[in-house]
Amino acid sequence: MRICRERVARERWQMVESYHDAAISGANLIQRPGIQALLHDAQEKKFELVLAEALDRISRDQADVATLFKYLRFAGVTIVTLAEGEISELHVGLKGTMNALFLKDLAAKTHRGMRGRVEKGKAGGGLCFGYRVAKKLDANGEPIRGERKIVASEAITIRRIFGEFAAGKSPRAIAVDLNREGVPGPLGRAWGDTSIRGHVSRGTIVPHRVV
């Protein structure tokens, strides 16, 4: 945002509004309120030019970039980026393809990283009921990811769920009994048959001996 404002000042453009989607995936256009507000204001003819750091800051999805370009062009709005300059159909095609390949490569690397942690005996991601994050540092003081510790009170509940399910009790009946006894569920919520099924299908196994 800062370097875009600097460009606006150098060009002596009048800045009408700024749009951003903090902490929202760049691959999701429909659910991004910033982009939706931008499209709405473009239709209202509030500006003539959109400035971004790069095309992938708008979206990395090829179809979304093409759709956004089409809508803005129909509204008479030009897209300019600090990295590519004025965006044309050529940029949309080439950069869209490159960004799509980047997302595919990123997904593959993420999966490899998660698999590597699992093969080392660590959690691949997320936090299952019955565990909590164990904060540890390596020799360089960097956090070690994937470490988990067993929560003793929740481990008792997990072993009970597996035992009753193995004995033929339905997930719904297990949930009813847990709620009747006031046993807290994941995130302190009530138990449901879907949450019981989720734990059983994922195979969340807690060792019998808690150290």
Side-chain angles (χ1 to χ4, degrees), residues 178-203:
L178 290 174
N179 291 328
R180 184 175 60 248
E181 297 172 20
V183 178
L187 302 177
R189 300 172 183 168
W191 290 95
D193 62 328
T194 55
S195 56
I196 299 296
R197 293 178 189 278
H199 282 81
V200 175
S201 64
R202 286 195 301 269

Side-chain angles (χ1 to χ4, degrees), residues 101-179:
L101 291 174
F102 170 82
L103 282 180
K104 184 177 181 180
D105 182 60
L106 180 62
K109 289 180 178 177
T110 301
H111 183 267
R112 286 200 301 271
M114 293 175 63
R115 178 175 178 176
R117 288 200 297 270
V118 171
E119 289 178 348
K120 292 179 181 179
K122 303 182 185 301
L127 187 62
C128 295
F129 181 81
Y131 297 90
R132 65 181 174 86
V133 175
K135 297 182 179 180
K136 295 183 180 180
L137 303 178
D138 60 18
N140 298 320
E142 296 295 328
I144 301 175
R145 303 186 184 281
E147 293 287 341
R148 298 290 186 269
K149 285 187 177 180
I150 296 172
V151 180
S153 59
E154 295 179 356
I156 295 173
T157 303
I158 291 294
R159 289 197 293 269
R160 172 181 171 176
I161 291 173
F162 272 85
E164 293 182 353
F165 183 79
K169 196 171 183 178
S170 72
R172 185 178 185 84
I174 295 174
V176 169
D177 288 345
L178 290 174
N179 291 328

